[in-house]
Amino acid sequence: MTSTRPTLLLVHGAWHQPAVWDRLRVELDVLGYQTRAVDLPTSGPDARGGMPDDADAVRKEIAAIGGPVVVVAHSYGGIPVSEAATGFPDVEHLVYLAAYQLDRGESMFSFHGVPDPAETDGLIPITGDPREAFYGDLSAAEAEVAISQLVDQRLRACVDRVTEPAWRSIPSTYIICANDQAIPVPQQEKMADRATDVRRIESSHSPFLSRPAELAALLDEIVTSRG
């Protein structure tokens, strides 16, 4: 690995934890990449805070790397990444993997046209069947394991709004998951219009579990083709 190769900072989505990236990290290690995974405080058995707290966690990880960084965000993780990465010269590129690439003043709820609830100091349940939404191309046994590892998610994170999105000053790539049932493709494409570049992968919402080697190769292609 060359000294200029960036570290990949992986930011998970709602109801998930850093271990969801483990299969992908193995494949990225084979390709010679160092990786780190952020632990977002609004997701977990002791879920707390809101999106700004998640953004602070991302900032701390970026600062700790102390060298070139490519940030890879999945789903909800795109929101705190957009909030956090502005002003870090070491962040060379942002990758939104079926992620919320939101603009100024947007939240997850506002993007979907959902009004803010009167009370945000609580948890948000998963709507519908998590296997269908998140893990449609995993085997039944693999999906059962993934579902068993889902955790609580703070509602407030879904209503907190982005202030100054990092993708307006940092190049970005949007990866559309073509068989996604959690964020439908038309909604992904709407956000992908904001990115510098757009790629696709023929997967459901969680290719880091179902297609880790293919996703690692795609990320390597994105990193090496920048500029």
Side-chain angles (χ1 to χ4, degrees), residues 5-139:
R5 175 170 283 191
T7 297
L8 299 188
L9 180 62
L10 309 173
V11 184
H12 63 79
W15 301 288
H16 289 77
Q17 293 190 293
V20 77
W21 296 109
D22 285 354
R23 292 185 186 180
L24 178 65
R25 295 182 77 178
V26 169
E27 299 295 339
L28 289 169
D29 182 68
V30 170
L31 295 177
Y33 286 95
Q34 292 186 355
T35 61
R36 294 177 73 123
V38 179
D39 189 0
L40 299 181
T42 66
S43 299
D46 183 29
R48 62 195 185 280
M51 187 273 287
D53 300 282
D54 290 339
D56 284 343
V58 174
R59 290 188 189 100
K60 288 176 183 176
E61 288 291 344
I62 292 172
I65 290 169
V69 183
V70 170
V71 185
V72 181
H74 178 245
S75 199
Y76 161 78
I79 304 175
V81 164
S82 291
E83 184 74 6
T86 302
F88 282 96
D90 283 338
V91 177
E92 298 181 342
H93 203 84
L94 306 172
V95 179
Y96 292 86
L97 174 64
Y100 286 93
Q101 187 165 353
L102 301 186
D103 209 344
R104 296 183 184 100
E106 289 183 332
S107 69
M108 182 192 293
F109 273 21
S110 74
F111 177 80
H112 290 291
V114 177
D116 290 354
E119 177 57 59
T120 62
D121 189 21
L123 303 176
I124 182 169
I126 299 171
T127 302
D129 179 1
R131 180 181 179 187
E132 180 180 351
F134 300 148
Y135 314 122
D137 48 1
L138 290 179
S139 70

Side-chain angles (χ1 to χ4, degrees), residues 154-178:
R154 288 276 291 174
L155 172 60
R156 186 182 139 200
C158 301
V159 301
D160 288 330
R161 295 174 185 261
V162 174
T163 59
E164 185 58 38
W167 56 265
R168 286 190 167 272
S169 58
I170 301 171
S172 61
T173 297
Y174 199 100
I175 301 177
I176 293 172
C177 292

